[in-house]
Amino acid sequence: MQKNRFTSLTIKQANTVTTVVILVFVIIFAYLLIKENYQDYEKALYRQEHSVADYGDTQKQLKRLLIKNTLAIVTLSFILFAIMLGLYKIFYALIQNDMHVFLNFFKNAAHREALLSPDEIFFKEFKEMVLYANEMVKTINQQKLSLKEINLILEKKVQKKTLYLEQANAKLLQEKKFSEEILAAQKEFLRYTVHETNTPLSVILTSIELYEMKNKKDRQLSKIEAAAKNIFNIYDDLSYLVKKDQVPYPKVSIELVSYLSMRIEFFRDVAHLSKIDFKYSSDLDKVYIYFNETKLQRIVDNTITNAIKYTLPEETVFLHVKQTGADVMFSVSSKSKIIKDPEKIFDAYYRENDNVKGFGLGLQLVKNICEEDNVSIDIVSTDKLTTFEYKFKMMGE
């Protein structure tokens, strides 16, 4: 605590303390001299008391001498105090002047670049400090100039970069606008193409059916019919992709067993041309699910066509329906090459077998529909069978 008081002492406070200390020393000095003078007086008085007859006159003389010496001591003490105090005040004024010069210099150093002149300082030690202070100011000014130059360079670079970014942004906006126009035109073309494709496909399939009713079924005509059905499946995918964000797809009650039987019959000729058979079985006579028919058709048709594409020749595609608790399981199994990465087959444009034609969009469409309607997909692929299994919620559960 005492240390903190001294470290926070001001020069003015130090000046007051010093003045008091000098006064105390002068008083002590005068007191000691007066005390010694009084002792000498008592000794002289004692000697005169035993040796001189006229003791009274001598005593008066000694007392006058004591008073005179005491006054002289007090006077000299105050003169000494005045001299010491005057010298100290001069010394203090010189130090204070040097301190004020330094304080004013440091106060103004942040706003002006003027240096401190050694002629303004009295003490030699402070003159040495002037050299260091001026050197510090020069260094600071050089650094300020360097910072200004760096700021100017950075400002130019920022302006240049900003101009470049503005130009790049304008170019990107133009490219974005162009891309949006292309995308809009592409969507419009796709919408028009899908719309215009429906009529000729329907005419082809209807004509084939009418021809088969009047004439014997021909292999070449079966190939045309299978190809038309494949195109019809692609048309349905494109139609769904074009309309899915614009047209609502309400859910209805669907009897799954008969619905699957109908879709299997639709693709049976396509499977026969690929030398593949269908074997459909169900543990249930009837089972209902609450689902949108268009979305269900996309799941079923893409799974069946995918099985036809990848099943090995002369093999059978097994389709099965069963109930597990409150769920209805629909599975498609066949012997094919092992699927190396079951997760990736749902990615757009991904195909594990490059020899099989297609865009790889069908299974991605299936996955998106299943995620939207909480239908789980399970894929198991071994050297014996590859199985796709879909789990639907049974209606009423």
Side-chain angles (χ1 to χ4, degrees):
M1 190 72 179
Q2 195 69 19
K3 183 178 180 181
N4 290 337
R5 288 180 181 175
F6 283 112
T7 52
S8 60
L9 193 67
T10 62
I11 294 177
K12 187 174 182 181
Q13 291 171 338
N15 175 51
T16 304
V17 171
T18 305
T19 303
V20 172
V21 169
I22 292 173
L23 178 61
V24 169
F25 273 107
V26 169
I27 292 172
I28 293 173
F29 175 73
Y31 169 75
L32 292 174
L33 288 177
I34 291 171
K35 183 178 179 181
E36 185 178 355
N37 184 52
Y38 184 75
Q39 289 174 351
D40 291 340
Y41 164 75
E42 287 185 337
K43 289 178 182 178
L45 189 63
Y46 177 78
R47 286 195 298 270
Q48 290 296 326
E49 184 180 349
H50 293 84
S51 61
V52 182
D54 52 349
Y55 174 73
D57 293 335
T58 304
Q59 185 180 14
K60 290 180 180 179
Q61 291 176 359
L62 289 173
K63 188 177 286 187
R64 283 196 297 271
L65 181 61
L66 174 63
I67 294 170
K68 183 179 179 181
N69 289 338
T70 301
L71 291 174
I73 291 170
V74 171
T75 303
L76 288 172
S77 297
F78 276 103
I79 291 172
L80 178 63
F81 171 73
I83 293 171
M84 291 179 65
L85 187 61
L87 292 173
Y88 169 73
K89 289 294 182 181
I90 294 171
F91 177 74
Y92 168 76
L94 292 172
I95 291 179
Q96 194 174 35
N97 178 68
D98 287 355
M99 292 299 297
H100 278 300
V101 171
F102 271 106
L103 286 174
N104 291 330
F105 169 73
F106 286 117
K107 187 185 294 183
N108 298 323
H111 307 290
R112 60 188 181 92
E113 299 179 0
L115 299 178
L116 184 61
S117 173
D119 297 334
E120 298 180 47
I121 305 300
F122 179 80
F123 292 99
K124 182 179 179 181
E125 288 80 359
F126 287 164
K127 289 180 182 290
E128 293 178 359
M129 290 174 62
V130 170
L131 299 176
Y132 295 114
N134 288 338
E135 189 66 28
M136 178 190 69
V137 171
K138 289 178 182 177
T139 303
I140 292 173
N141 290 334
Q142 289 175 356
Q143 291 177 348
K144 285 170 68 177
L145 289 174
S146 299
L147 286 173
K148 285 182 180 178
E149 292 176 359
I150 292 171
N151 285 335
L152 288 173
I153 294 171
L154 287 174
E155 188 175 350
K156 289 180 180 178
K157 286 184 177 180
V158 168
Q159 290 176 351
K160 186 177 180 181
K161 193 69 175 178
T162 302
L163 180 62
Y164 170 77
L165 289 174
E166 288 176 351
Q167 293 173 348
N169 187 49
K171 187 176 180 181
L172 284 173
L173 289 174
Q174 290 177 352
E175 291 177 354
K176 181 184 177 183
K177 184 179 178 182
F178 180 68
S179 299
E180 288 174 349
E181 290 174 354
I182 291 178
L183 186 60
Q186 185 183 30
K187 286 183 177 180
E188 188 63 29
F189 171 77
L190 187 59
R191 189 180 294 109
Y192 175 79
T193 303
V194 169
H195 177 72
E196 294 299 320
T197 303
N198 184 35
T199 301
L201 277 176
S202 299
V203 171
I204 291 171
L205 290 174
T206 303
S207 299
I208 291 172
E209 289 177 3
L210 291 172
Y211 181 84
E212 288 177 349
M213 289 172 63
K214 296 178 181 180
N215 303 283
K216 189 177 179 180
K217 194 166 188 177
D218 183 77
R219 179 170 175 79
Q220 298 302 321
L221 192 63
S222 296
K223 288 183 179 180
I224 295 172
E225 183 181 10
K229 287 181 177 179
N230 280 329
I231 296 173
F232 212 92
N233 185 59
I234 295 171
Y235 161 79
D236 285 338
D237 282 346
L238 291 175
S239 178
Y240 175 77
L241 288 171
V242 168
K243 298 177 182 178
K244 72 182 185 73
D245 295 327
Q246 302 171 1
V247 177
Y249 289 91
K251 294 181 179 182
V252 295
S253 174
I254 302 174
E255 201 286 292
L256 187 61
V257 176
S258 59
Y259 179 84
L260 291 174
S261 179
M262 178 186 65
R263 299 314 300 166
I264 291 167
E265 287 302 318
F266 181 83
F267 288 103
R268 192 174 292 279
D269 291 335
V270 180
H272 285 165
L273 287 173
S274 299
K275 298 179 181 180
I276 294 170
D277 289 330
F278 283 148
K279 187 175 181 181
Y280 177 47
S281 60
S282 175
D283 295 347
L284 307 165
D285 293 332
K286 289 184 178 182
V287 63
Y288 290 89
I289 62 171
Y290 192 61
F291 213 79
N292 177 262
E293 188 172 351
T294 301
K295 289 185 176 182
L296 180 61
Q297 184 175 334
R298 302 287 25 92
I299 295 173
V300 173
D301 287 9
N302 276 294
T303 305
I304 292 174
T305 55
N306 197 63
I308 293 171
K309 286 180 184 178
Y310 290 96
T311 299
L312 299 176
E314 308 296 337
E315 294 291 342
T316 301
V317 176
F318 299 94
L319 303 102
H320 186 64
V321 176
K322 65 179 180 179
Q323 180 181 350
T324 304
D327 300 316
V328 180
M329 314 296 288
F330 163 59
S331 63
V332 178
S333 304
S334 64
K335 189 172 183 179
S336 64
K337 290 184 179 180
I338 297 175
I339 299 175
K340 298 175 183 178
D341 196 339
E343 292 296 327
K344 279 191 175 182
I345 64 172
F346 291 105
D347 294 343
Y349 311 111
Y350 177 78
R351 288 177 298 164
E352 288 203 334
N353 188 351
D354 293 332
N355 295 325
V356 179
K357 296 180 180 179
F359 295 104
L361 293 173
L363 287 180
Q364 188 200 34
L365 180 62
V366 169
K367 183 183 179 182
N368 291 340
I369 293 173
C370 289
E371 287 178 349
E372 289 171 3
D373 291 88
N374 297 318
V375 177
S376 64
I377 309 173
D378 187 28
I379 301 174
V380 179
S381 184
T382 66
D383 55 352
K384 293 182 179 179
L385 282 177
T386 295
T387 301
F388 282 71
E389 188 174 61
Y390 300 92
K391 182 166 69 174
F392 297 88
K393 283 290 180 184
M394 193 161 49
M395 187 175 175
E397 297 296 332

